[in-house]
Amino acid sequence: MGSLDVGSLSLSTSLQARFSPRPAFAVRMLDNWSAVHMESWRKSSQLKSVFANFYPRLIYRSYQTHKLMIKRHSSISEAFMTSETKETASNVLVGNEKLGVLLLNLGGPETLEDVQPFLFNLFADPDIIRLPRLFRFLQKPLAQFVSIVRAPKSKEGYASIGGGSPLRQITDAQAEELRKALCDKNVPAKVYVGMRYWHPFTEEAIEQIKRDGITKLVVLPLYPQFSISTSGSSLRLLESIFREDEYLVNMQHTVIPSWYQREGYIKAMANLIEKELENFESRQKVMIFFSAHGVPLAYVEEAGDPYKAEMEECVELIMEELERRHITNAYTLAYQSRVGPVEWLRPYTDETIAELGQKGVKSLLAVPISFVSEHIETLEEIDVEYKELAMKSGVRNWGRVPALGCEPTFIADLADAVIESLPYVGAMAVSNLEARQSLVPLGSVEELLAAYDTKREKLPPPVLVWEWGWTRSAETWNGRAAMIAVLGLLVLEVTTGQGFLHQWGILPLFH
């Protein structure tokens, strides 16, 4: 019970430090968050699965717990909570304990020669391209084929932004600034970078963590919103590494799954947007265009990925912060970077830009909401492709908010998130598991994945292998089968000279 009490104290401390200045807003935000998530899950096609039974109850209990905590602690002074936070931070390391922070990110090719192998690593991940069970043996051959086909065009994109992705350099800089911020807060720690698809790979970071003798580890994905295809993929990899290594089994750790709702992050995004709006002559007429990285629709509707709900709530929180600054511009959210023939989250960024231009919108400010570092999807896709599309569609004034990078408010908030997670390193509080909205992490890698993927089952492919009936998926596959059958019959008739088409005189008879 000792760890539970400590966790509850830290949770209430974290909540109060954020919410006590405006409890009414906090309750409204939680109301919105709960409603969005509950509706998303209500519509899920797996309502009869364990997800439907577990996750909505988790959200509801979290929602009720937070409202109770806000009410109970709203009268405690902010100064008291600040001093207690410092006391918690100063007592987390005992004796020879060493604290590490592992930053997780996607990674990117640093040279044009790296592009094709990087793409192979990306598409070989079953959380990126989900094949039906019958065809999973084709994962790597398909990844090799797709990477070879896409490499020339991708190389052109990377060549246009300097010959490689700046993601590693930016992430390394973020790691160093985070280390300094933690040191300034009297929390000495080493910060490591682990990339999913390129160097330094997560496996390389783990080896360095072991060499440095780290005894406590905070895992911090640099994705503000949780998604199966980003944070989830990295955490699945970590889980497999942890299970196979005796050192890691004994190393205490915890995970910060997402942090899009943190006050520091929201303020940092609002600061950048407010600054960019000043570059427009008529600031009030600018449409704020949030563009997020897309995910296949099946991840949300069939696998219960919370990404869409978290993204929508994130945008609402940023706009509420801007409204407090008397910025009331119109805004919209769309999703970019879809790949392949499957349906992704809508609305699509390119289609939305064209529609806005047709409706007479003349000023657009693009906000890359799911990215904290500049890379190919901001520097080339947004800055070049989408800007050109906007101008062709009738938009006259274009602007783009930079990615957060090493923005001081953002880095300071990440440091606070790490500090708030420390009471949970090596301990899992029930209140923390049930509080998906909290500013502290869910717990260990295994426990976090259990909240999203209780049975560890393979996630459904974006398009089902076969399905009869009047559904989009069914008609796609039924149509393909019909085309194959028609082509087969046509080939058979042409090669043999016999069949219905010859008998009906459509094709000439010959012997």
Side-chain angles (χ1 to χ4, degrees):
M1 290 301 294
S3 63
L4 296 182
D5 294 338
V6 171
S8 298
L9 173 62
S10 176
L11 178 59
S12 61
T13 297
S14 173
L15 283 168
Q16 184 184 345
R18 175 187 172 192
F19 290 134
S20 50
R22 48 181 189 280
F25 165 72
V27 173
R28 184 172 71 256
M29 185 201 69
L30 288 168
D31 284 335
N32 294 338
W33 182 87
S34 179
V36 169
H37 281 68
M38 290 294 287
E39 180 65 15
S40 175
W41 277 91
R42 186 183 68 79
K43 294 180 179 179
S44 172
S45 61
Q46 290 191 349
L47 285 176
K48 295 181 181 180
S49 71
V50 66
F51 279 112
N53 293 326
F54 174 78
Y55 204 67
R57 291 202 306 270
L58 180 151
I59 295 167
Y60 179 76
R61 289 196 300 267
S62 167
Y63 165 63
Q64 296 297 334
T65 300
H66 280 287
K67 292 179 75 172
L68 178 62
M69 287 181 176
I70 293 165
K71 181 177 180 180
R72 180 180 301 171
H73 297 285
S74 61
S75 61
I76 303 178
S77 68
E78 184 176 355
F80 173 78
M81 299 316 304
T82 302
S83 63
E84 186 158 353
T85 301
K86 290 182 179 179
E87 182 180 351
T88 301
S90 63
N91 293 329
V92 291
L93 299 179
V94 179
N96 295 324
E97 291 182 329
K98 294 183 178 180
L99 176 64
V101 179
L102 175 59
L103 302 181
L104 300 177
N105 211 332
L106 183 76
E110 298 179 70
T111 67
L112 295 182
E113 288 71 27
D114 298 337
V115 171
Q116 191 271 322
F118 165 78
L119 292 176
F120 171 80
N121 294 335
L122 177 69
F123 295 123
D125 181 1
D127 284 321
I128 298 297
I129 294 183
R130 310 204 65 81
L131 295 177
R133 187 180 300 274
L134 184 62
F135 300 106
R136 284 177 189 162
F137 69 95
L138 295 174
Q139 185 80 49
K140 290 188 176 180
L142 178 61
Q144 185 71 16
F145 172 77
V146 174
S147 65
I148 292 174
V149 171
R150 289 180 61 89
K153 182 172 178 58
S154 294
K155 285 183 178 180
E156 291 179 6
Y158 282 106
S160 69
I161 63 171
S165 172
L167 185 62
R168 178 173 182 174
Q169 289 80 5
I170 296 173
T171 309
D172 285 343
Q174 290 170 330
E176 177 59 19
E177 292 303 312
L178 178 58
R179 185 196 65 78
K180 293 178 181 178
L182 287 170
C183 186
D184 292 341
K185 295 175 183 290
N186 198 29
V187 181
K190 289 191 173 184
V191 183
Y192 304 87
V193 173
M195 301 294 190
R196 185 66 179 88
Y197 305 115
W198 202 244
H199 301 283
F201 290 111
T202 302
E203 296 89 338
E204 297 171 356
I206 290 295
E207 288 302 317
Q208 187 60 52
I209 287 170
K210 290 166 60 178
R211 286 193 293 269
D212 291 343
I214 297 298
T215 57
K216 290 187 174 183
L217 182 67
V218 176
V219 180
L220 176 56
L222 287 178
Y223 311 107
Q225 305 82 14
F226 184 95
S227 174
I228 291 168
S229 59
T230 54
S231 304
S233 176
S234 294
L235 293 176
R236 282 175 181 261
L237 174 62
L238 275 181
E239 183 185 37
S240 64
I241 296 174
F242 279 19
R243 284 182 173 180
E244 298 172 357
D245 193 296
E246 183 178 354
Y247 179 92
L248 299 174
V249 169
N250 297 321
M251 182 183 64
Q252 296 178 337
H253 75 278
T254 194
V255 182
I256 301 175
S258 64
W259 33 269
Y260 67 93
Q261 75 281 53
R262 291 189 59 85
E263 187 173 11
Y265 166 73
I266 296 299
K267 286 186 175 181
M269 289 299 301
N271 291 342
L272 294 177
I273 293 172
E274 185 176 17
K275 182 178 179 180
E276 290 301 319
L277 283 173
E278 295 175 356
N279 296 326
F280 291 85
E281 291 184 2
S282 300
R283 190 180 75 171
Q284 297 80 5
K285 297 181 180 180
V286 178
M287 168 75 75
I288 300 176
F289 190 98
F290 293 95
S291 186
H293 198 292
V295 299
L297 184 63
Y299 285 20
V300 175
E301 293 191 346
E302 298 179 32
D305 194 334
Y307 177 75
K308 181 176 183 289
E310 292 191 357
M311 183 61 69
E312 291 173 351
E313 186 199 3
C314 177
V315 170
E316 290 178 3
L317 290 173
I318 293 172
M319 292 309 300
E320 287 180 358
E321 173 63 26
L322 289 172
E323 186 176 352
R324 284 190 286 274
R325 306 179 187 191
H326 307 291
I327 298 173
T328 57
N329 294 57
Y331 68 96
T332 190
L333 168 65
Y335 298 90
Q336 66 180 84
S337 308
R338 65 186 188 274
V339 178
V342 302
E343 186 169 1
W344 287 55
L345 285 182
R346 290 179 179 270
Y348 298 144
T349 293
D350 52 355
E351 294 179 357
T352 303
I353 289 176
E355 290 173 2
L356 291 175
Q358 293 170 4
K359 291 179 180 178
V361 174
K362 298 301 180 183
S363 299
L364 272 184
L365 176 60
V367 183
I369 187 62
S370 55
F371 311 106
V372 299
S373 304
E374 302 290 0
H375 59 303
I376 187 71
E377 281 147 336
T378 60
L379 299 174
E380 201 275 335
E381 191 169 6
I382 294 179
D383 288 353
V384 179
E385 295 180 18
Y386 292 151
K387 179 180 179 180
E388 181 179 347
L389 173 62
M391 295 305 177
K392 288 182 178 179
S393 302
V395 174
R396 294 292 173 263
N397 305 304
W398 171 272
R400 202 263 286 181
V401 171
L404 284 165
C406 294
E407 201 275 340
T409 304
F410 166 58
I411 296 296
D413 191 59
L414 285 186
D416 289 339
V418 171
I419 293 172
E420 290 165 16
S421 77
L422 295 180
Y424 295 93
V425 176
M428 182 62 186
V430 174
S431 60
N432 188 33
L433 174 61
E434 294 186 344
R436 181 66 184 86
Q437 175 65 13
S438 72
L439 305 186
V440 291
L442 276 166
S444 69
V445 169
E446 187 170 354
E447 288 160 330
L448 173 60
L449 286 176
Y452 289 100
D453 189 4
T454 307
K455 292 184 177 181
R456 300 295 201 284
E457 294 177 345
K458 291 291 185 181
L459 298 174
V463 177
L464 299 179
V465 179
W466 198 272
E467 180 183 359
W468 293 99
W470 296 99
T471 66
R472 179 175 298 182
S473 174
E475 292 309 301
T476 298
W477 287 100
N478 295 345
R480 291 173 182 174
M483 288 299 298
I484 292 174
V486 170
L487 288 174
L489 290 174
L490 183 61
V491 170
L492 184 65
E493 292 225 10
V494 171
T495 55
T496 64
Q498 299 178 358
F500 291 107
L501 298 180
H502 289 81
Q503 294 176 5
W504 294 343
I506 298 175
L507 290 178
L509 291 171
F510 65 88
H511 299 283

